Amino acid sequence: MNLYDIKQGDKCIITKVKGRGAFRKRIMEMGFVVGKEIIVGKKAPLKNPIEYTVMGYEVSLRNSEAILIEVIPSSEYSKIHHQHQKRQRQRQRQRGQHHFESGNYSEEFEIGGNKYNGVIIDNSERKKTKHKSKIINVALVGNPNAGKTTLFNYASHSKEKVGNYCGVTVDAKTAKFKQNSYTFNIIDLPGTYSITSYTPEEVYVRNYIFDEVPDVVVNIVDSSNLERNLYLTTQLIDLDIKVVIALNMYDELLHKGDKFDYDALGKMIGIPMVPTVSSKGKGIKYLFNKIIDVFEDEDPTVRHIHVNYGDEIERSIKIIQEKIRIEENKKITIRVAPRFLAIKLLERDKEEIIRIHECTNYDEILSTVEKEISRIEPICKDSPETVISDYKYGFIDGALKETFKKSKKDIRSRSHLIDNILTNKILSYPVFIFIMWLMFQTTFSLGAYPMHWIESLVEICGQMITKFLPESIFRAILVDGVISGVGGVIVFLPNILILFLFISLMEDTGYMARVAFIVDKLMHKIGLHGQSFIPMLMGFGCNVPAIMATRTIGNKNNRLVTMLINPFMSCSARLPIYILFIGAFFPNRPGLVLFSIYGIGIILSIIIAIIFKKTLFKSKEIPFVMELPPYRIPTLKATLRHTWFKGSQYLRKMGGIILIASIIIWALGYFPINNEIHEKYNKQIVESSLKIDMEINFTDINDTLTILTLQNQKENIISKFENLKTQELLESSMIGKIGHFIEPVIAPLGFNWKMGISLVAGIAAKEIVVSTLGVLHQAENNDDNTFNLANKLREETNTNGKNIGKKAYTPLVSFGFLIFILIYFPCIAVIATIKRESGGWKWAIFMAVYSTALAWIFSFLIYQIGSLFL
């Protein structure tokens, strides 16, 4: 029977893994190997994919992948176990005995009742550190969710993104700090299950180690999942580099009651192990002291070993090694261990086949590899890569049997209890929708209070500058440029912080991965992987890291589609625009309108993805293999730190691009100075004031009511002429001419020239849309002496066209404007990221053009059709 046939809650043992290529290798790397027990967990709400527990952790597979794994119920396994052992012994005898080269010997482990030579000790002289540098380059390598970035942050006092799901770190992050007179340059590499060429981040990690040659690699291992995590360790052993293992989250291992003699295992494999709890900073200092010892060749645990892959594989490795390690190939072998190259060539690793193109005897090496593969497959009755994976897990299994004792406690109950609600077939989608609605509603309603406080502070600053500085260009820059521009955007900082707080909580707890799990079947319908949904959710924070996170998607076409639809996820930069217009024109249902805009973005991305997958990006369906990490309670300190880090990035924008853009927009609106317009309106103000002053003089001094009425009339007339002067000055300025030039293009959408200018300015960064509107409207003080851009938008009237004199901003126009903001050209940073991640300008330019065209069409339809009914 196959894995799909097993009922929920039942246990079974893997007897065979079918399938081919990258999928087969990936699931084997993740623990789906012959002899391992699997517990069948929940089905997703739409009955696909299904959650399975293997090696103590949860992973989800689609039904089409589960069918490829043959199993037998655990109850039947004991009956045939002795037969399996007998066949295994016969298979080993058929392979014969092979004597390894002089100077090497092997150590035996007992694996499944069989004696197995698990480690080959290499007594050859290992390269020592000749120079005693005080600078140590350290690379952090580990599985996703192993706590790599948390360790990086604590050690270096950095603030990189941490999340409890795959694909948080998508690039190498570097930091520097000192300890014991040594300077550490630490590099946080992307999380990876192995260093094959299955996904881009795996290739990235491997190439980084080869190209940058770090002094020490720290392998961060999740102590609660030793068996699965140590698979990557075996590959680092193949690389023949200096390694220190950080047994992270060691408190979870102790909490479960497990016992682990890590010193003994460290001596077996020649790698020192240090228990750590990165979230609390425990063991970090000792870890870096151990790194110093390894760097200085002073740690007695360190020794040069090889994982024993059995006589036949080892024979082939030796033959291929001899072909690779000739003197002419030294430029490659000095960076990459010949043994590692030989193993990867036997596994038909495409990246390493490309790498050996530099070898002078490339054809001879490749011919030898094919010859050895043809020899091995009939003997082992399987491909070399499968045999090597089996031996790796055999090595791990044997080593842990000697050093690790698992507790009988049931530690899965907490995560399963939570999953009973969050992944329940009835409750999962309502819970997800409620969480999204709550996030947007809280962002708007709770954020309104501190937003008003900051707004009042901005108003006071503007009033103070106006009061104490004489009228001049400098005062105009400060009040109409900086205060109106930057101040108009900074008021939304509380909303941004609340949004990022929600996103951080979803990431840190592990809920993000569950969302990918429950939506996979829906994503499958549009030709994408459930994992594509994680970058989409990340896009609510910022599209740049979200697009970078698409590296975790193995299939190139699916990666490109995810990139091209990701900007439809409303990033935090758009939030100030939404809040401004929703507060001004939809005050009765702000949360609902905000939720609908985000929902439209999601629905639009799905529709576009379906179209792209049926036209531009046709490709075969990719397997769904994704880890479901255990739920973890995030620390308050870490969550607040991540939230503030994103908020500080927003503030840095205020002092950078938005400040510069605001001043440029102000200058374009201020120059050229048209003295004729000033004189024209100043003359009208003087004449009107004199006329009313004469009436006041002829009024009885006791007629207070009449005098007050005339004075109010005078103020209104002055305000009217000032507004007309400002409007005419703007329209005659450079920005006015630019605005009127583009107005025919946007007029069918109901937009005026000021809205057009703000959209053009928003290409640099979406927050600039608000600052531009603030500068263009130069929101002069209202009757209540407060600065309020929303009020100015409500009061704005058209000065030309067929709707002259009518309100420029109506709910219909405003909604169309918000949809245009949602869809059109993402910011320059996003375009640059798409260019970098896609490998060229082709798709970046395509994104810019097609999104803007789509935005125009949608806004046109909203305005034209809506005008027929409203």
Side-chain angles (χ1 to χ4, degrees):
M1 63 173 53
N2 58 58
L3 186 57
Y4 178 70
D5 297 325
I6 306 298
K7 294 180 181 178
Q8 182 178 331
D10 288 352
K11 299 179 180 180
C12 57
I13 305 295
I14 299 174
T15 57
K16 186 177 181 180
V17 179
K18 298 185 288 186
R20 296 175 58 83
F23 163 70
R24 187 166 186 251
K25 183 161 184 62
R26 170 41 52 97
I27 63 170
M28 291 183 70
E29 289 171 346
M30 295 184 75
F32 288 84
V33 292
V34 173
K36 293 299 176 186
E37 185 177 71
I38 294 181
I39 303 173
V40 180
K42 281 184 169 296
K43 292 184 178 181
L46 300 179
K47 299 184 178 181
N48 195 8
I50 301 176
E51 174 190 296
Y52 298 98
T53 302
V54 59
M55 292 188 180
Y57 76 103
E58 280 72 43
V59 64
S60 53
L61 295 177
R62 284 182 183 152
N63 299 339
S64 54
E65 280 82 58
I67 290 171
L68 299 175
I69 301 173
E70 292 185 0
V71 298
I72 58 171
S74 294
S75 57
E76 297 178 18
Y77 180 68
S78 57
K79 300 176 185 177
I80 62 169
H81 183 53
H82 70 283
Q83 297 176 359
H84 173 70
Q85 289 179 319
K86 185 178 179 181
R87 284 196 301 270
Q88 192 177 39
R89 286 193 292 270
Q90 289 173 346
R91 186 178 178 185
Q92 289 175 346
R93 283 197 295 271
Q94 288 172 358
R95 292 174 181 173
Q97 299 299 316
H98 175 66
H99 297 283
F100 299 107
E101 57 188 298
S102 176
N104 295 341
Y105 65 98
S106 61
E107 289 185 355
E108 287 190 333
F109 290 96
E110 187 173 299
I111 300 175
N114 302 311
K115 291 293 183 181
Y116 166 60
N117 294 332
V119 174
I120 304 168
I121 310 302
D122 190 342
N123 285 331
S124 59
E125 186 68 20
R126 194 171 193 175
K127 187 178 179 182
K128 301 286 185 180
T129 305
K130 294 181 179 180
H131 58 89
K132 297 298 180 181
S133 170
K134 291 293 184 179
I135 299 175
I136 306 177
N137 297 315
V138 179
L140 305 183
V141 176
N143 284 191
N145 305 307
K148 190 167 45 60
T149 303
T150 305
L151 191 150
F152 173 86
N153 286 342
Y154 192 93
S156 64
H157 305 290
S158 300
K159 298 174 182 177
E160 290 301 331
K161 187 64 187 161
V162 177
N164 189 16
Y165 63 98
C166 177
V168 178
T169 305
V170 291
D171 208 344
K173 306 294 189 301
T174 61
K176 182 184 292 187
F177 76 101
K178 289 186 177 183
Q179 181 173 310
N180 295 356
S181 75
Y182 286 84
T183 298
F184 291 93
N185 295 319
I186 56 176
I187 302 97
D188 180 21
L189 294 171
T192 176
Y193 295 105
S194 74
I195 45 175
T196 59
S197 54
Y198 182 75
T199 60
E201 72 269 15
E202 293 176 348
V203 177
Y204 184 96
V205 170
R206 180 167 51 177
N207 288 340
Y208 186 92
I209 293 172
F210 292 157
D211 297 338
E212 301 300 325
V213 195
D215 297 312
V216 179
V217 168
V218 176
N219 179 201
I220 288 85
V221 169
D222 180 355
S223 299
S224 62
N225 281 317
L226 287 171
E227 192 171 9
R228 193 277 311 278
N229 277 244
L230 287 173
Y231 187 91
L232 177 58
T233 307
T234 64
Q235 294 182 319
L236 296 175
I237 290 172
D238 291 336
L239 288 175
D240 187 22
I241 55 179
K242 290 182 176 180
V243 179
V244 176
I245 292 177
L247 295 168
N248 203 29
M249 297 182 253
Y250 201 74
D251 55 338
E252 292 188 14
L253 181 146
L254 297 175
H255 177 71
K256 290 189 293 184
D258 297 340
K259 294 181 179 179
F260 181 35
D261 188 351
Y262 56 84
D263 284 330
L265 181 58
K267 290 173 183 176
M268 286 181 188
I269 64 176
I271 299 174
M273 296 184 166
V274 179
T276 60
V277 183
S278 298
S279 60
K280 299 175 183 177
K282 294 182 179 179
I284 305 299
K285 187 174 183 180
Y286 182 68
L287 171 67
F288 281 90
N289 285 337
K290 183 64 69 176
I291 292 169
I292 294 171
D293 291 342
V294 172
F295 173 73
E296 296 287 4
D297 300 307
E298 294 176 355
D299 191 284
T301 304
V302 177
R303 60 178 181 164
H304 191 184
I305 67 121
H306 302 312
V307 176
N308 188 342
Y309 296 116
D311 295 341
E312 296 303 330
I313 295 289
E314 288 296 338
R315 176 183 170 186
S316 295
I317 290 172
K318 183 181 177 183
I319 292 170
I320 298 167
Q321 267 185 288
E322 293 303 321
K323 300 291 182 183
I324 294 171
R325 58 163 46 130
I326 63 174
E327 185 66 24
E328 290 82 356
N329 296 335
K330 197 170 182 179
K331 62 182 179 180
I332 294 177
T333 59
I334 200 171
R335 292 188 299 113
V336 186
R339 178 178 173 85
F340 176 81
L341 282 172
I343 292 168
K344 287 300 169 187
L345 291 174
L346 282 173
E347 292 178 341
R348 290 195 170 102
D349 189 291
K350 294 178 182 178
E351 291 293 321
E352 298 313 313
I353 291 173
I354 293 171
R355 194 186 305 277
I356 65 164
H357 268 92
E358 298 179 40
C359 292
T360 54
N361 59 337
Y362 166 76
D363 292 330
E364 184 184 3
I365 294 172
L366 218 55
S367 174
T368 303
V369 170
E370 291 302 322
K371 181 180 177 181
E372 290 303 312
I373 291 173
S374 299
R375 184 186 66 81
I376 290 169
E377 287 182 338
I379 296 173
C380 298
K381 295 181 172 55
D382 219 329
S383 66
E385 68 174 355
T386 301
V387 177
I388 289 170
S389 292
D390 284 342
Y391 271 107
K392 282 184 182 292
Y393 274 116
F395 161 71
I396 295 166
D397 189 49
L400 289 177
K401 278 183 178 178
E402 297 288 322
T403 58
F404 179 75
K405 187 175 181 180
K406 191 173 183 63
S407 169
K408 294 182 180 179
K409 286 183 185 177
D410 182 12
I411 48 84
R412 298 164 57 248
S413 56
R414 185 178 67 179
S415 284
H416 280 204
L417 184 64
I418 299 172
D419 273 341
N420 284 337
I421 299 172
L422 298 184
T423 63
N424 182 278
K425 65 180 180 180
I426 297 174
L427 297 176
S428 57
Y429 285 108
V431 167
F432 172 63
I433 292 170
F434 173 75
I435 289 173
M436 292 293 102
W437 174 85
L438 180 65
M439 179 173 73
F440 302 133
Q441 182 67 28
T442 306
T443 297
F444 198 100
S445 56
L446 186 62
Y449 298 102
M451 185 180 78
H452 289 315
W453 302 335
I454 298 173
E455 189 177 55
S456 299
L457 184 61
V458 170
E459 293 165 6
I460 292 170
C461 289
Q463 292 166 8
M464 294 286 285
I465 292 171
T466 303
K467 182 177 179 180
F468 290 106
L469 286 182
E471 187 174 349
S472 62
I473 291 180
F474 179 66
R475 191 183 82 173
I477 291 174
L478 287 179
V479 177
D480 300 330
V482 177
I483 300 296
S484 294
V486 177
V489 179
I490 202 172
V491 297
F492 300 105
L493 176 62
N495 308 93
I496 300 296
L497 292 175
I498 292 170
L499 178 69
F500 277 119
L501 177 64
F502 270 90
I503 293 175
S504 293
L505 287 172
M506 287 194 292
E507 291 173 345
D508 295 348
T509 57
Y511 182 61
M512 279 283 202
R514 268 62 184 190
V515 173
F517 174 69
I518 66 175
V519 303
D520 177 66
K521 189 168 183 180
L522 294 176
M523 298 298 287
H524 187 207
K525 294 290 184 184
I526 65 175
L528 292 177
H529 194 291
Q531 207 167 5
S532 293
F533 201 72
I534 290 177
M536 291 171 71
L537 278 180
M538 288 176 67
F540 289 147
C542 180
N543 296 135
V544 172
I547 289 170
M548 292 173 67
T550 60
R551 291 180 188 175
T552 59
I553 302 168
N555 182 281
K556 182 181 178 181
N557 281 353
N558 288 346
R559 197 158 60 246
L560 283 169
V561 171
T562 308
M563 281 185 212
L564 294 176
I565 64 174
N566 193 277
F568 296 138
M569 302 297 103
S570 291
C571 65
S572 60
R574 297 180 175 102
L575 188 59
I577 311 168
Y578 297 160
I579 292 173
L580 172 65
F581 277 84
I582 291 172
F585 300 101
F586 307 96
N588 295 328
R589 295 183 179 83
L592 181 62
V593 176
L594 187 63
F595 180 70
S596 69
I597 292 171
Y598 279 78
I600 290 169
I602 294 172
I603 293 169
L604 181 61
S605 67
I606 291 171
I607 295 170
I608 297 299
I610 292 172
I611 294 171
F612 281 169
K613 289 295 291 183
K614 290 183 180 297
T615 54
L616 299 176
F617 301 101
K618 291 181 180 179
S619 64
K620 294 180 180 178
E621 176 185 325
I622 62 168
F624 180 80
V625 186
M626 189 183 71
E627 179 185 355
L628 296 174
Y631 290 103
R632 291 193 170 99
I633 300 173
T635 63
L636 179 64
K637 180 181 177 182
T639 302
L640 293 178
R641 185 176 64 184
H642 302 155
T643 302
W644 175 246
F645 177 59
K646 291 298 183 183
S648 65
Q649 287 182 320
Y650 183 77
L651 284 175
R652 283 196 292 272
K653 273 189 179 181
M654 301 301 105
I657 187 172
I658 293 175
L659 174 62
I660 295 168
S662 297
I663 293 173
I664 291 172
I665 295 295
W666 169 85
L668 290 173
Y670 190 83
F671 297 103
I673 299 174
N674 195 320
N675 290 322
E676 291 182 4
I677 295 175
H678 278 284
E679 291 173 2
K680 169 185 168 184
Y681 285 99
N682 288 342
K683 182 180 178 181
Q684 290 178 330
I685 289 171
V686 170
E687 290 176 353
S688 300
S689 297
L690 286 173
K691 184 177 179 181
I692 294 175
D693 286 341
M694 288 179 64
E695 290 186 42
I696 292 174
N697 289 334
F698 285 106
T699 303
D700 187 345
I701 195 170
N702 295 319
D703 192 354
T704 307
L705 181 62
T706 303
I707 292 173
L708 288 174
T709 302
L710 289 170
Q711 287 175 341
N712 287 335
Q713 186 180 348
K714 176 183 174 181
E715 289 175 6
N716 290 336
I717 290 173
I718 292 172
S719 176
K720 176 185 174 182
F721 284 128
E722 288 289 353
N723 286 339
L724 290 173
K725 181 173 72 172
T726 300
Q727 185 71 35
E728 197 167 331
L729 284 170
L730 265 177
E731 293 195 19
S732 66
S733 68
M734 288 184 283
I735 203 168
K737 291 173 182 176
I738 295 170
H740 286 301
F741 177 76
I742 65 173
E743 195 169 25
V745 178
I746 59 174
L749 316 181
F751 302 167
N752 63 16
W753 68 271
K754 293 181 182 178
M755 298 167 79
I757 288 295
S758 69
L759 292 172
V760 173
I763 289 173
K766 290 295 173 282
E767 298 97 333
I768 297 176
V769 171
V770 174
S771 63
T772 301
L773 289 172
V775 172
L776 289 177
H777 290 88
Q778 295 183 8
E780 70 277 352
N781 292 339
N782 300 312
D783 293 337
D784 59 354
N785 203 37
T786 61
F787 174 85
N788 193 313
L789 181 56
N791 286 342
K792 290 304 299 178
L793 295 180
R794 283 192 290 264
E795 295 167 5
E796 179 79 3
T797 57
N798 291 310
T799 57
N800 51 39
K802 63 180 182 180
N803 294 321
I804 189 169
K806 294 183 179 179
K807 294 288 185 182
Y809 298 90
T810 64
L812 179 63
V813 171
S814 298
F815 190 74
F817 186 73
L818 292 178
I819 296 302
F820 197 97
I821 292 291
L822 166 70
I823 302 172
Y824 94 114
F825 189 106
C827 68
I828 292 294
V830 170
I831 294 298
T833 305
I834 292 175
K835 180 260 179 186
R836 184 173 68 246
E837 296 299 318
S838 64
W841 282 107
K842 175 183 175 182
W843 296 114
I845 294 171
F846 176 77
M847 176 77 233
V849 173
Y850 103 85
S851 62
T852 304
L854 203 61
W856 192 94
I857 292 169
F858 269 76
S859 295
F860 175 82
L861 293 174
I862 288 170
Y863 180 69
Q864 296 298 333
I865 295 174
S867 296
L868 297 176
F869 302 98
L870 300 176

